[in-house]
Amino acid sequence: MTDLIKSLAIAASGMEAQAQRLQHVSENIANVDTPGYHRKTISFRDAVDGGVTPGPVRLDRSELTQIYDPGHPLADESGHYDGSNVDLVIEIADAREAQRSYEANLRLFDQARQMTQSLFEILRR
């Protein structure tokens, strides 16, 4: 019985971690055209109880895209300004991966919940 409850907690921690990852991916996508924006990344750590905990949010320090637009208010003497380092293809791939991981954890959570309910019904008899 405790293993089923533990599996519920592990699946819930996975869903929470992937939801946080999706939040950062959506912020990155929303800021793809924001000058000077650095992409946010997040890593995960194994928790003591077997679940997952999100690590610290980090900024991707790769070089920003140089955009040539002499009429832009942020342009320097050469007509360039710093864009963002967000790559939409990478962000969409990350969003798909996070969504699929979330759905897998949700299925695991639902199956463990159904098994727990079945076990409670058997014990009530």
Side-chain angles (χ1 to χ4, degrees), residues 17-110:
Q18 294 303 330
Q20 189 171 359
R21 181 178 176 199
L22 275 171
Q23 177 185 350
H24 295 300
V25 168
S26 64
E27 289 173 6
N28 291 339
I29 291 172
N31 287 293
V32 70
D33 292 326
T34 302
Y37 182 81
H38 287 269
R39 175 179 183 253
K40 293 179 183 177
T41 61
I42 188 167
S43 59
F44 302 111
R45 295 184 227 149
D46 292 334
V48 177
D49 63 355
V52 177
T53 58
V57 176
R58 294 200 169 107
L59 296 179
D60 181 353
R61 290 294 175 187
S62 61
E63 291 205 21
L64 298 173
T65 305
Q66 290 293 308
I67 300 172
Y68 179 73
D69 183 1
H72 195 278
L74 295 176
D76 59 13
E77 302 81 34
S78 67
H80 292 87
Y81 69 93
D82 290 336
S84 74
N85 62 357
V86 175
D87 183 345
L88 277 178
V89 174
I90 291 173
E91 298 305 321
I92 290 169
D94 283 353
R96 272 201 186 136
E97 182 182 349
Q99 179 185 3
R100 288 182 178 151
S101 295
Y102 184 92
E103 289 170 355
N105 280 298
L106 182 59
R107 283 193 296 275
L108 176 69
F109 185 88
D110 190 46

